[in-house]
Amino acid sequence: MWVALSVLTALAAASVDAWTKKFFGHRDAVTMAFYPLGYSLPLFLATWPFVPVPTLDATFWWCFGLSVPINCLSFVLYMEAIRLSPLSLTVPLLTLTPAFMVITGYAFLQEAASWPAVLGIAIIVCGGYLLNAPSAQEGMLEPLRSLAREKGSLAMVAVAFIYSFSAVLGKKAILHSSPMFFGVFFFVLQNFLLVIWAILTGQADARLFMTLSNASKGLLVGSLYYLHVMLHVWAISMTQAAYMISLKRLSAVFGVLYGAWLFREKHVGWRLVGSAIMVAGAALVAVGG
């Protein structure tokens, strides 16, 4: 059951990225974020009363308090990454998060990296190289230079690094509460704050937000975002977090497929191979610890 739920989580996550870029990619990053968050907020609010409230201690509150602003920043940066560059070059880079977590996990949780984790990091780097493999004709290091020239790719590397902190904080907060409570409470607050930010800064036009065309598109991406979170929480409550997250990284592969389908992105074959290798490396890091 958890395997099916984890794969569906990956598909839902990739779907949010793809359709948000398709519908709102011509707007700025804050406006892009406004639609999935704004339209999913009522769904999270409707779910909140049905979630049992566990005993909450000081550790939960400081982890939760740090997680919210960090994730608000990373979500807007995430939207900027997929806005600026192809999905097939940006979404796979999220698999760098487990590699960065080797560092942050040691710093915050004293979790030392094992040899499988080190090998997994090397595999992730190899997969990242293959994302731009065709450019190797211009030099062996050109695939890495090509990634470095992509502003969206650099933004996604920054997101992966930020996620390595927020994932550790989130893990600690869940250990001091419950997966369902943390998931719903967190996204109620995150979504509310980002929606208010978008309105106060004038980057979200309420009239455009409520037009029939934008409302239907917003309802789709908002529902997918809500589904992504609920599936994630459900799946992670059924197995070890490392196993669930490893399968969720298949969103990188789904992202490449969406890029080919919706945006006719190039070099899909290489990017599929590269993203699959990166997912395998991420799984080795997560499971090997």
Side-chain angles (χ1 to χ4, degrees):
M1 185 67 172
W2 71 266
V3 171
L5 290 172
S6 299
V7 174
L8 287 173
T9 304
L11 181 58
S15 299
V16 174
D17 299 341
W19 291 111
T20 302
K21 180 180 175 74
K22 178 71 173 178
F23 294 146
F24 309 110
H26 60 289
R27 308 292 296 275
D28 59 272
V30 175
T31 304
M32 284 179 70
F34 185 64
Y35 283 91
L37 300 188
Y39 276 94
S40 64
L41 181 56
L43 299 174
F44 285 112
L45 286 171
T47 306
W48 198 3
F50 301 99
V51 177
V53 180
T55 302
L56 305 174
D57 58 15
T59 301
F60 168 82
W61 288 113
W62 76 257
C63 288
F64 186 86
L66 285 175
S67 294
V68 172
I70 289 174
N71 277 276
C72 285
L73 170 64
S74 63
F75 192 83
V76 173
L77 192 58
Y78 190 108
M79 292 292 105
E80 182 71 358
I82 65 174
R83 183 182 75 84
L84 290 174
S85 297
L87 287 177
S88 56
L89 278 182
T90 51
V91 176
L93 294 173
L94 276 182
T95 57
L96 289 169
T97 297
F100 291 137
M101 283 183 68
V102 169
I103 300 170
T104 57
Y106 179 77
F108 288 95
L109 301 174
Q110 287 74 54
E111 295 176 345
S114 63
W115 280 111
V118 174
L119 177 60
I121 292 171
I123 291 172
I124 291 171
V125 172
C126 291
Y129 181 90
L130 290 177
L131 294 178
N132 265 326
S135 63
Q137 297 174 349
E138 302 170 28
M140 289 299 293
L141 294 179
E142 189 57 27
L144 298 179
R145 294 194 188 104
S146 297
L147 276 179
R149 286 194 294 268
E150 279 282 346
K151 292 182 179 179
S153 296
L154 292 177
M156 194 60 88
V157 170
V159 170
F161 183 68
I162 294 171
Y163 277 179
S164 71
F165 284 95
S166 63
V168 172
L169 289 170
K171 177 180 177 180
K172 204 169 186 68
I174 288 172
L175 290 174
H176 288 259
S177 57
S178 71
M180 182 64 74
F181 176 80
F182 177 82
V184 175
F185 184 33
F186 177 86
F187 286 98
V188 165
L189 190 55
Q190 175 202 259
N191 292 13
F192 176 77
L193 290 176
L194 277 174
V195 166
I196 294 299
W197 177 20
I199 293 172
L200 292 179
T201 57
Q203 292 175 276
D205 189 324
R207 290 169 299 176
L208 285 175
F209 183 70
M210 294 304 295
T211 60
L212 183 60
S213 174
N214 283 340
S216 61
K217 294 171 183 175
L219 186 59
L220 173 62
V221 295
S223 299
L224 286 169
Y225 187 71
Y226 173 79
L227 184 64
H228 161 217
V229 173
M230 290 295 101
L231 286 170
H232 175 102
V233 170
W234 191 8
I236 209 167
S237 68
M238 298 178 69
T239 187
Q240 292 185 38
Y243 299 156
M244 184 270 163
I245 295 299
S246 298
L247 279 179
K248 185 183 175 181
R249 291 292 171 244
L250 286 171
S251 61
V253 176
F254 292 135
V256 174
L257 293 173
Y258 263 122
W261 175 38
L262 293 180
F263 306 104
R264 301 293 187 267
E265 293 174 5
K266 300 178 180 178
H267 309 307
V268 172
W270 280 109
R271 290 172 185 176
L272 269 178
V273 172
S275 61
I277 290 174
M278 294 179 83
V279 169
L284 192 56
V285 173
V287 176

